[in-house]
Amino acid sequence: MSTTAGVSAGAIAIRSILIMADGERSDFDELIRPGAVNREGRVEPPECRVGGPAGFYATALWLRTAFDRLAYDIHHVIADGNLVAVNSTMSGRHVAPFVVYTPDGDVDTAFPPTGKMFAITQSHWFRIEDGKVAEHWANRDDLGQAQQLGWVPPTPAYLFRMARAKSHAKRAA
């Protein structure tokens, strides 16, 4: 029997956000349905797009690699049956390249580390089935994050660093 049995849909959604910062693979197996879909995966590395616990865990590792001290503060949770909305703040420090991808899985942009801290609001939406996440989508303050981390407006020196980081990311892919 799953340990999520009898747990509210809101609690499952909250826990699935919090494990992105520090959860183990087994946490994802417990909370994410096989075949679960992350609607935000289209800009993530190809290994994040497989869905299910493996894809969600790959997303967590992708974020943790780029952002030290990754944390989520939960502000509001609203559930209507199996649909849950969570308002939160994600924060961290940019310590490694953050690489985003095209829908085809190619490297699109690479943001070299700035060492700066950020804190941005996010709204996450979940569909819960049988006590596990079946679907996730989100709205994030990407512009606010880019401004806080110094990605925009980019300086000429940062644009050069971005080009080098993109070249490195393409070679590593």
Side-chain angles (χ1 to χ4, degrees):
M1 180 171 173
S2 169
T3 57
T4 57
V7 176
S8 74
I12 292 165
I14 290 170
R15 186 153 176 248
S16 72
I17 291 173
L18 296 177
I19 64 173
M20 296 303 281
D22 58 11
E24 300 293 328
R25 172 57 199 260
S26 59
D27 296 318
F28 289 83
D29 291 335
E30 181 181 321
L31 289 171
I32 311 297
R33 288 180 57 85
V37 177
N38 176 13
R39 299 287 178 202
E40 305 311 308
R42 67 188 176 279
V43 300
E44 297 178 7
E47 60 270 18
C48 300
R49 301 174 189 199
V50 298
F56 281 70
Y57 184 60
T59 295
L61 296 179
W62 172 61
L63 293 170
R64 293 176 200 172
T65 298
F67 306 118
D68 188 35
R69 297 186 225 161
L70 185 64
Y72 294 86
D73 292 320
I74 307 300
H75 306 298
H76 306 284
V77 179
I78 297 173
D80 183 12
N82 70 342
L83 187 63
V84 181
V86 179
N87 174 252
S88 64
T89 296
M90 180 177 111
S91 60
R93 187 168 68 92
H94 186 202
V95 297
F98 183 64
V99 181
V100 294
Y101 294 79
T102 67
D104 294 330
D106 297 324
V107 172
D108 183 15
T109 308
F111 299 95
T114 62
K116 294 181 179 183
M117 298 291 296
F118 71 94
I120 59 162
T121 58
Q122 301 180 328
S123 295
H124 294 272
W125 293 79
F126 297 90
R127 188 169 51 79
I128 308 297
E129 287 183 3
D130 300 322
K132 293 186 176 190
V133 172
E135 192 171 9
H136 164 264
W137 36 149
N139 295 305
R140 303 172 312 268
D141 183 9
D142 292 342
L143 178 59
Q145 182 178 22
Q147 290 171 326
Q148 291 174 47
L149 293 177
W151 300 346
V152 294
T155 64
Y158 194 71
L159 286 171
F160 177 75
R161 290 182 58 217
M162 285 177 68
R164 284 185 48 198
K166 182 175 181 175
S167 176
H168 290 290
K170 283 184 169 185
R171 283 196 305 270

